[in-house]
């Protein structure tokens, strides 16, 4: 059984963190999102994974060296400067996927605890050309939305509909089972949108079915969603993540502390906090409701609350980083700087004075 993971898109809403890494490699409780997906694929006995990437993503994914265990991972790359959209990469990988059996397609930028085995079973039973995992959300406007008949056949499919157009709150979870017949619906050598070009056609022909997914699903597209998925998973694994909590500091669960992290005296970490691998935290530091990426250094008496701190960031003494702040990788913040809520800083930028209003600070 094969799966193709779409991972060649550009995450714009997670800037500045997505300037330096694809969304599929964002750490979720100290594990790249893609590693969670690989583990889930393995659990459901998928053997072959095709990563549909662009040049940059391919390099970044390979560099990350995610454990693959029993999975065989192949790469299928979009042509240089010609992103193929969500359907083009599937058509391009037609030979790798083959025509022997149905296969899985996964958006690489979501956390979706989908039972792939059941999805594939449902797909085979209905003999659909495509079966889409669907989940319920309050605001469907940022997603693909399905109108479902009683037998789970999808009558109509709208990509990013206006509020008046949206026929339901059942959205495309970005996880599909496709029969090889799908290749006939995808033109070759150009960008194709599966959602706008293929699904509406299949719906008309009654070859598109839905599979209701009611377990955990989260698009990590927005910073608050990214913090939320970390919080949810921290709560699920409470108490199992902190073997190396330092002497003299306090950990308030739920917290995850990465390998070789060092925490100074009287510092309080948590609740709802992830400290990445190789992070260094000084004395009297307070970090809560935040995610700190690998290799960040946070000096004495600094306060961080509700923020995302990129990899290898260096933060000085007595710094204040409040809610909704995002620091890109390698940012430096000097001693005594206070940031206003919602300040975002581009990678490698140095900040030596306080910032009083929410804004993006770039080079
Ligand atoms: N290789 C490749 N090339 N991959 C791509 C390209 C491309 O040109 N464009 C997008 N992708 C990948 C993205 O990396 C992502 O994993 C997936 O395809 C979906 O693309 P997004 O750009 O993230 O789409 P979206 O989030 O606006 O909407 C999609 O996901 C929603 C669920 O999160 C749609 O499938 C919606 O219908 C769905 O509800
Ligand atoms: Mg997306």
């Amino acid at each position: 059984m094969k799966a193709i993971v779409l991972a060649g898109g550009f995450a714009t809403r997670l800037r500045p963190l997505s300037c330096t890494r694809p969304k599929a490699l964002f750490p979720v409780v100290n594990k790249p999102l893609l590693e969670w997906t690989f583990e889930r694929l393995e659990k459901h006995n998928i053997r072959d994974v095709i990563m549909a990437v662009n040049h940059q993503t391919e390099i970044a994914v390979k560099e990350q060296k995610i454990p693959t265990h029993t999975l065989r991972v192949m790469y299928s790359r979009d042509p240089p400067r010609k992103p193929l959209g969500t359907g083009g990469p599937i058509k391009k990988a037609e030979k790798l996927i083959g025509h022997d059996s149905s296969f899985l397609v996964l958006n690489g930028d979501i956390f979706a605890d989908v039972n792939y085995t059941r999805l594939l079973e449902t797909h085979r039973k209905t003999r659909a050309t495509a079966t889409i995992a669907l989940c319920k959300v309050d605001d469907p406007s940022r997603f693909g939305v399905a109108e479902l008949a009683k037998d789970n056949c999808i009558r109509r499919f709208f990509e990013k509909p206006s509020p008046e157009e949206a026929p339901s709150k059942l959205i495309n979870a970005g996880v599909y089972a496709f029969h090889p017949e799908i290749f006939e619906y995808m033109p070759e050598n150009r960008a194709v949108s599966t959602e706008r070009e293929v699904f509406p056609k299949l719906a008309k022909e009654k070859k598109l079915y839905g599979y209701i997914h009611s377990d955990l699903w989260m698009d990590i597209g927005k910073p608050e969603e990214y913090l939320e998925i970390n919080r949810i998973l921290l709560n699920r694994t409470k108490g199992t993540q902190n073997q190396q909590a330092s002497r003299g500091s306090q950990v308030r669960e739920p917290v995850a502390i990465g390998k070789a992290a060092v925490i100074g005296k009287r510092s309080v970490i948590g609740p709802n906090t992830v400290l990445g691998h190789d992070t260094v935290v000084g004395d009297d530091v307070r970090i809560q409701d935040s995610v700190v990426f690998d290799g960040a250094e946070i000096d004495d008496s600094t306060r961080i609350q509700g923020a995302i701190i990129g990899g290898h960031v260096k933060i000085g003494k007595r710094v204040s980083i409040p809610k909704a702040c995002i620091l890109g990788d390698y940012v430096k913040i000097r001693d005594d700087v206070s940031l206003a809520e919602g300040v975002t800083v581009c990678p490698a930028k140095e900040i030596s004075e306080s910032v009083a209003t929410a804004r993006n600070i770039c080079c």
Side-chain angles (χ1 to χ4, degrees):
M1 185 61 66
K2 290 180 178 149
I4 178 162
V5 178
L6 300 170
F10 303 89
T12 47
R13 283 170 304 204
L14 276 175
R15 281 183 193 147
L17 293 163
S18 55
C19 300
T20 39
R21 66 175 63 65
K23 237 160 109 180
L25 293 182
F26 267 62
V28 177
V29 190
N30 283 335
K31 208 152 65 175
L33 180 60
L34 188 60
E35 190 170 342
W36 290 89
T37 306
F38 279 2
E39 286 177 358
R40 199 174 297 116
L41 286 167
E42 232 191 320
K43 194 173 113 191
H44 289 278
N45 300 316
I46 308 294
R47 279 302 300 273
D48 293 301
V49 182
I50 297 150
M51 294 295 304
V53 288
N54 55 41
H55 183 59
Q56 271 169 300
T57 322
E58 181 175 356
I59 294 172
V61 170
K62 285 181 173 165
E63 241 172 39
Q64 191 85 38
K65 296 199 171 61
I66 296 174
T68 49
H69 308 288
T70 59
L71 294 177
R72 282 190 300 231
V73 181
M74 290 164 273
Y75 289 82
S76 176
R77 199 190 305 156
D78 289 6
R81 290 173 297 283
K82 285 210 181 97
L84 292 176
T86 51
I90 304 172
K91 182 69 180 173
K92 185 168 182 286
E94 183 170 353
K95 280 211 181 92
L96 284 177
I97 297 167
H99 285 236
D100 301 345
S101 63
S102 287
F103 57 98
L104 287 175
V105 177
L106 313 176
N107 285 359
D109 64 340
I110 44 152
F111 188 100
D113 237 345
V114 172
N115 187 326
Y116 301 143
T117 309
R118 279 223 210 113
L119 167 67
L120 285 160
E121 272 166 21
T122 313
H123 174 69
R124 280 189 206 107
K125 264 187 213 148
T126 57
R127 295 171 173 269
T129 301
T131 306
I132 308 180
L134 300 169
C135 55
K136 228 180 200 161
V137 297
D138 292 333
D139 175 16
S141 61
R142 288 162 48 207
F143 303 106
V145 187
E147 185 183 315
L148 210 57
K150 272 214 181 87
D151 60 353
N152 280 355
C153 187
I154 296 176
R155 280 204 200 104
R156 290 187 301 165
F157 185 90
F158 297 88
E159 182 62 14
K160 318 238 163 50
S162 61
E164 311 84 64
E165 253 180 345
S168 77
K169 290 189 186 282
L170 276 180
I171 62 134
N172 168 13
V175 177
Y176 323 119
F178 284 173
H179 185 276
E181 195 183 71
I182 196 93
F183 292 122
E184 290 164 29
Y185 291 79
M186 293 174 163
E188 236 168 330
N189 299 322
R190 71 158 169 91
V192 178
S193 163
T194 305
E195 299 84 347
R196 292 180 199 276
E197 298 177 54
V198 181
F199 289 161
K201 222 183 262 171
L202 288 175
K204 255 194 204 138
E205 296 176 13
K206 299 195 168 39
K207 290 177 174 172
L208 187 65
Y209 278 72
Y211 163 86
I212 306 285
H213 166 71
S214 29
D215 212 327
L216 184 54
W217 183 86
M218 184 80 75
D219 182 343
I220 62 157
K222 292 199 220 155
E224 53 275 26
E225 292 167 338
Y226 174 68
L227 287 172
E228 170 85 352
I229 187 65
N230 277 280
R231 199 176 52 75
I232 292 172
L233 292 172
L234 275 175
N235 274 287
R236 281 195 174 180
T237 51
K238 229 174 182 169
T240 60
Q241 313 261 354
N242 306 306
Q243 290 85 353
Q244 56 277 331
S246 286
R247 274 173 287 142
S249 61
Q250 209 192 103
V251 164
R252 294 197 182 148
E253 294 283 354
V255 164
I257 294 173
K259 278 180 255 138
V262 178
I263 307 169
K265 285 181 249 108
R266 296 175 304 277
S267 288
V268 183
I269 311 297
N272 303 315
T273 295
V274 181
L275 274 193
H277 305 302
D278 305 301
T279 44
V280 179
V281 175
D283 298 339
D284 299 297
V285 171
R286 181 88 184 81
I287 308 175
Q288 66 183 82
D289 302 318
S290 299
V291 175
V292 179
F293 288 19
D294 297 351
E297 291 175 27
I298 300 158
D299 214 336
D300 302 344
S301 305
T302 278
R303 299 275 175 276
I304 300 174
Q305 184 174 12
I308 312 173
I309 310 297
H312 307 277
V313 163
K314 282 194 166 61
I315 302 174
K317 297 186 198 330
R318 297 172 300 277
V319 170
S320 167
I321 302 180
K323 215 173 136 193
C325 285
I326 308 177
L327 308 186
D329 294 344
Y330 295 98
V331 159
K332 274 191 189 152
I333 311 272
R334 293 283 182 91
D335 292 350
D336 299 301
V337 164
S338 286
L339 300 183
E341 276 186 19
V343 169
T344 57
V345 185
C346 281
K349 180 89 188 145
E350 196 166 325
I351 306 282
S352 44
E353 280 170 25
S354 292
V355 182
T357 50
R359 61 191 172 98
N360 178 241
I361 301 172
C362 244
C363 316

